Amino acid sequence: MKHIVKIITLLVAISAMWIGLLEMSVVPRSQTWLLSIYFIVSLGCYGLLMVGIGLMHFPTCPQEAVLLQQDIVEAKHYLKQRGVDVGSE
Amino acid sequence: MEDVRPEGGAGDKYSLIVPTYNERLNIALVVYLVFKHLRDVDFEIIIVDDGSPDGTQDVVKQLQQVYGDDRILLRARPRKLGLGTAYSHGLKHASGNFVVIMDADLSHHPKYLPQFIKKQQETGASIVTGTRYVKGGGVHGWNLMRKLTSRGANVLAQTFLWPGVSDLTGSFRLYRKSVLEDLINSCVSKGYVFQMEMIVRASRKGYHIEEVPITFVDRVFGSSKLGGSEIVEYLKGLAYLLVTT
């Protein structure tokens, strides 16, 4: 099943539930379109929240830059001795 | 980090495909580090150079003198022909049963190769992918804007695609050769969207995918290749994957 089909199925299921609630007068008819608004707004908020959290906990590794520099020095030294051109650009 | 020394299962050979364009200095460093970290492993490095004007191929030939032209294969192309085709091209010359794809600019550090191999051996996975976004992994050299776009892109992809991996655009991966062949034949995108398509299709096809945290140090030498139109390209790619996978 293509992914988009899964998503559409999910949306259809949610809409069906909402229509059910409308039919049963649990939700007043005047607020028919509220689901779409709720849905989009919550999705947006969820997205922003995830981005924010992710940004706060973005894993960084400054020590890796140092290690990399050491590796580069070691590599250049070894290769230069063996005739590989490692002059800087 | 403890030193991981895999022995490579009996008969396993790893073909490392490294596409290059103007990576004259970096390719030498990468090759040195690969040989340093893969001591007891049967491997070959396939360098697919797209006609670099900076003399990358000359440096590769010098490296072949040092390490042997049975371990370092230069399979060049006349000009820039794209990443996806670079992998297919490299794959045609790969004699290993496992293939690793990695960048030449040192953002993918060869020291993780033993961990990729070990993970594959332990789990029998068809694909082992490096992830920068979990604990133990990380990025260095990105400013806030870059982190924001990366995080935003990731949240979008996770929310809508449910890809099954934490790092969708990463391209440091180990594949079983037959699996890579299958995926390359199934994917049509270009550039880094191609990387996304590969891993999403792999997930959809039910291939066993494992992740290894990796650290990614951005661009020590050479110029960066990320710009604003990449965002549009990404969104188009996401929409495409949403509908076709």
Side-chain angles (χ1 to χ4, degrees):
Chain A
M1 193 197 298
K2 295 264 187 260
H3 190 72
I4 189 78
V5 173
K6 273 190 221 155
I7 292 194
I8 289 175
T9 311
L10 196 64
L11 291 174
V12 165
I14 296 175
S15 310
M17 275 200 308
W18 184 254
I19 291 171
L21 290 172
L22 283 169
E23 291 291 312
M24 290 194 300
S25 304
V26 174
V27 175
R29 293 289 168 102
S30 56
Q31 299 180 331
T32 308
W33 298 110
L34 224 49
L35 175 70
S36 339
I37 300 171
Y38 281 158
F39 188 74
I40 293 172
V41 171
S42 347
L43 199 62
C45 289
Y46 167 80
L48 287 172
L49 186 70
M50 293 307 285
V51 171
I53 292 177
L55 213 54
M56 276 199 307
H57 293 131
F58 209 107
T60 55
C61 49
Q63 73 285 1
E64 290 294 329
V66 175
L67 291 174
L68 184 59
Q69 288 306 323
Q70 290 172 352
D71 282 332
I72 290 171
V73 167
E74 181 188 317
K76 278 184 160 179
H77 180 76
Y78 179 94
L79 292 170
K80 208 166 180 171
Q81 285 180 333
R82 285 160 181 76
V84 180
D85 181 10
V86 287
S88 39
E89 342 197 284
Chain B
M1 183 186 66
E2 75 180 60
D3 202 23
V4 178
R5 295 264 168 153
E7 269 114 47
D12 283 337
K13 182 172 179 182
Y14 299 86
S15 298
L16 314 187
I17 300 180
V18 187
T20 59
Y21 188 75
N22 282 350
E23 301 285 9
R24 177 197 177 91
L25 175 55
N26 289 335
I27 192 62
L29 304 174
V30 166
V31 167
Y32 171 80
L33 290 169
V34 169
F35 276 89
K36 177 181 174 185
H37 290 280
L38 286 185
R39 287 266 154 82
D40 300 310
V41 174
D42 185 13
F43 72 91
E44 61 185 359
I45 305 177
I46 303 171
I47 298 171
V48 181
D49 183 71
D50 282 357
S52 299
D54 73 344
T56 299
Q57 294 185 29
D58 296 328
V59 174
V60 174
K61 291 186 184 129
Q62 290 169 359
L63 291 165
Q64 286 177 317
Q65 295 298 312
V66 179
Y67 293 104
D69 57 8
D70 56 326
R71 306 301 288 281
I72 301 181
L73 278 55
L74 175 62
R75 298 291 177 261
R77 303 189 302 174
R79 59 186 182 284
K80 266 189 164 185
L81 292 170
L83 206 57
T85 50
Y87 294 145
S88 327
H89 187 78
L91 206 54
K92 280 194 224 112
H93 304 281
S95 60
N97 55 332
F98 287 99
V99 177
V100 174
I101 58 168
M102 54 190 290
D103 290 350
D105 63 356
L106 285 176
S107 55
H108 295 159
H109 199 299
K111 69 183 172 190
Y112 293 105
L113 289 169
Q115 291 175 41
F116 277 66
I117 293 173
K118 184 155 178 275
K119 189 70 162 186
Q120 192 286 319
Q121 286 170 345
E122 281 170 358
T123 62
S126 295
I127 302 176
V128 178
T129 177
T131 170
R132 299 161 287 182
Y133 301 142
V134 302
K135 200 165 184 307
V139 175
H140 177 77
W142 281 4
N143 59 14
L144 186 63
M145 202 55 210
R146 185 76 182 84
K147 286 185 194 170
L148 185 65
T149 47
S150 156
R151 190 61 200 153
N154 203 266
V155 167
L156 267 180
Q158 296 294 337
T159 305
F160 291 105
L161 270 186
W162 315 344
V165 291
S166 59
D167 189 343
L168 211 65
T169 51
S171 54
F172 194 3
R173 297 180 187 151
L174 165 71
Y175 295 85
R176 208 182 284 280
K177 187 170 170 201
S178 52
V179 171
L180 183 58
E181 282 165 345
D182 176 33
L183 290 172
I184 284 188
N185 290 334
S186 322
C187 296
V188 298
S189 309
K190 305 265 178 273
Y192 66 87
V193 177
F194 176 73
Q195 302 292 356
M196 289 167 57
E197 189 181 0
M198 292 236 283
I199 203 72
V200 172
R201 286 208 190 274
S203 186
R204 302 285 186 251
K205 288 183 184 225
Y207 284 123
H208 182 173
I209 305 175
E210 290 286 338
E211 291 191 304
V212 165
I214 57 166
T215 54
F216 182 100
V217 178
D218 199 353
R219 293 297 178 171
V220 181
F221 298 93
S223 55
S224 187
K225 291 174 188 128
L226 188 70
S229 63
E230 260 78 7
I231 296 179
V232 173
E233 198 187 322
Y234 177 81
L235 291 173
K236 288 205 283 197
L238 207 58
Y240 166 79
L241 289 176
L242 201 58
V243 175
T244 59
T245 62

